[in-house]
Amino acid sequence: MSKILTAGTVITMDPRQPRAEAVAVDDGRITAVGTVAQCRAAAPDAEVIDTGAAALVPGFVEPHSHPVMSGVATQPPARSVAPWDAPTWADVEAIFADAIANTDPKTPLLFAGFDALLHQRPSPKAPELDRIFGDRVAVVTDNSGHGVYFTTAVMKRYGWDVNPPAEPVGGHFGRNPDGSLTGQGFETPVVVAVAGPVLAELGNPLVSAAEYYAWMARGGYTSTSDMTYDPKLKAAYEALAAAPSCPLRISMWEMSTTGTFNDPQTFAAAETMLVKQGVKLWTDGSPWIGNIAISFPYLSTDATRTAGIDPAVAGGAASMNYSREQLDAILDIAAPAGWQMAFHANGDLAIGLALDAYEAALHRHDLVGTDHRWRLEHLGAGNRALFDRAASLGVHISMAPFQYYYWGDLLDGQIFDHEHGSQWQAFADAVASGAVVSLHNDGSVSPPTPVLNIQTAVTRRTRAGNIHGAGQAITLDQALRSHTIDAARTLHRETLVGSIEVGKLADFTELTADPYAVDPAELADKARVSGTWLSGARIDLTAFLGAVSGADPGQHAHLADEPRHTCC
């Protein structure tokens, strides 16, 4: 049915027509943009609907996320102890106490989101957790996705108290001098071994994934990505896409570790909803656990000592996850197939390695000057020289404002020196390079909050309100573009979404204020998201979640055994 949507203002992100009064929609596409009279002329039989929004903007685009596995790992029945939900250890303990008091003693407990730096305490071991939980099975996952902490009851359940497991490839357990487990484990294989059986016991993982979809929609996202797609997740994505009022379009980047990364992938859904776009690798790790490849040192401070980051071994070239030869080998498989490459790279050395590999592969495969849109992700320690080089190669830059917002006060002087910590997430240098720049949340490493990302990039204010590296702020228009049309370009979706233009899909986000009319420092408070639209239909999250909750949980039980890949 044809309809005309009105709002206080329509912000199009189309430079040819930046503002409008109304948008005409038919069959899921935009048919007219302009005044109400112009839209009526284009659609004379259309129903006029006042959205009630102060501003209607293009649906926000999240170019880097992990929606299904973020939901499985962090949504109920898991309980969040992430720093934005539980800022202090006392808050974490209160959540523990509530779970103990209100959960059947026979039911395992799962908590997600501990962060040693932000919670300002060492990662817990079994003796401390036993004092809290007694003989209950309790598991706490690290917000970075790289650690897990568990009670003695977990060890007894798995038989590890008498027969400790061997170290899996790519992971390790914390061990006492006698070889027994400390109640800590690190990296994906161990996180899965500890938390997977608990997740499988607690509930329907597809419902948890749907809850994360809903959280992203409430934040204003209508398009996103899975940057660590595994074909084992295909059925889950298809089931969610088939549910009524599914709120998200998903673009996939398959992990280079799957063995099938070079294979095409088709879905039982329209390509506008689900599409495999590229291949993903990690050149280094997370700044919060000390394994990013940087040319400057971590500092020895109370913050880093508490988090267990040893400046003598943290950082440096040893933190590279791949050799140049390994990167070349993967690129030589994926580039001829036309896949869009994406490299996680936080440290300056890691970014440099990625650019070296990209430049050589672009020449080897005769792609220099083509519209390949290969990507770099996060770029915490990126600088102008690296951004200029990326721009010259046609490489897109996807940045992580949440790193600055939540950790910025520690980055500047507690984790790194002022010269480097104050410049973390150098938005202005990235934009000035001429590269296509997008912003992301990297769910579930941070909450899905695009308006807060925009506020952070414009103001350089941390969660505490402090400013570091004020010269790295960008304009509101630049920040909005980074979460709309430029993010859509990075996903190869700019002909479908990212701006309000005739012919594009009718995906919109409703805001409670015109973002250009409020103090940038108050954007997240005043320009709140009040709803989203997909293909010209207002998203009904109650209908979506209700439909998913009725699905057969047995079809998706394997999701609990899948790794939680986060990037940070």
Side-chain angles (χ1 to χ4, degrees), residues 46 250 266 352 358 399-400 439 453 472:
I250 315 287
T266 57
Y358 275 174
M399 304 188 74
L439 305 177
N453 289 345
Q472 292 299 343

Side-chain angles (χ1 to χ4, degrees), residues 166-191:
E167 304 288 30
V169 175
H172 65 279
F173 288 90
R175 296 185 187 271
N176 296 308
D178 64 359
S180 61
L181 303 187
T182 64
Q184 293 187 331
F186 303 96
E187 301 305 338
T188 295
V190 174
V191 175

Side-chain angles (χ1 to χ4, degrees), residues 455-499:
Q455 174 182 300
T456 301
V458 171
T459 66
R460 291 291 289 186
R461 290 186 183 274
T462 66
R463 191 181 193 187
N466 300 314
I467 296 175
H468 308 264
Q472 292 299 343
I474 58 178
T475 68
L476 178 58
D477 191 65
Q478 289 166 340
L480 277 168
R481 291 181 63 84
S482 296
H483 249 320
T484 54
I485 188 60
D486 285 343
R489 287 194 176 95
T490 292
L491 294 183
H492 268 285
R493 307 289 258 183
E494 79 278 11
T495 60
L496 297 175
V497 299
S499 62

Side-chain angles (χ1 to χ4, degrees), residues 111-327:
F111 305 90
F114 173 78
D115 185 284
L117 280 165
L118 294 181
H119 286 132
Q120 300 179 33
R121 67 175 325 282
S123 304
K125 297 181 179 180
E128 180 180 8
L129 294 175
D130 291 347
R131 287 193 291 272
I132 297 170
F133 295 105
D135 60 358
R136 296 193 65 157
V137 171
V139 174
V140 182
T141 61
D142 198 272
N143 187 60
S144 69
H146 295 270
V148 64
Y149 319 109
F150 48 96
T151 60
T152 299
V154 173
M155 301 181 214
K156 291 180 177 178
R157 168 176 279 214
Y158 300 160
W160 293 345
D161 56 328
V162 294
N163 187 23
E167 304 288 30
V169 175
H172 65 279
F173 288 90
R175 296 185 187 271
N176 296 308
D178 64 359
S180 61
L181 303 187
T182 64
Q184 293 187 331
F186 303 96
E187 301 305 338
T188 295
V190 174
V191 175
V192 172
V194 174
V198 172
L199 279 166
E201 183 177 341
L202 288 178
N204 183 347
L206 194 67
V207 172
S208 299
E211 289 286 357
Y212 200 83
Y213 269 47
W215 194 14
M216 293 190 73
R218 293 186 191 105
Y221 286 125
T222 57
S223 291
T224 187
S225 62
D226 185 338
M227 295 306 295
T228 48
Y229 175 69
D230 186 306
K232 294 175 183 177
L233 302 177
K234 178 182 177 182
Y237 276 114
E238 289 175 333
L240 292 167
S245 216
C246 177
L248 296 175
R249 307 184 190 278
I250 315 287
S251 301
M252 319 284 191
W253 271 255
E254 187 168 340
M255 297 178 291
S256 64
T257 55
T258 61
T260 60
F261 69 84
N262 208 43
D263 296 345
Q265 182 80 82
T266 57
F267 298 92
E271 193 172 280
T272 55
M273 291 298 293
L274 298 175
V275 64
K276 178 179 170 181
Q277 187 63 49
V279 178
K280 169 71 181 303
L281 298 90
W282 296 257
T283 55
D284 66 352
S286 167
W288 324 130
I289 63 172
N291 65 344
I292 62 169
I294 46 177
S295 63
F296 48 94
Y298 278 85
L299 298 180
S300 179
T301 64
D302 288 344
T304 54
R305 285 188 290 271
T306 296
I309 297 173
D310 181 356
V313 297
S319 294
M320 300 287 195
N321 287 331
Y322 294 87
S323 68
R324 170 64 190 280
E325 291 72 23
Q326 290 170 321
L327 293 179

Side-chain angles (χ1 to χ4, degrees), residues 17-29:
Q17 186 181 16
R19 297 271 181 162
E21 293 179 352
V23 182
V25 176
D26 189 27
D27 196 25
R29 299 258 179 180

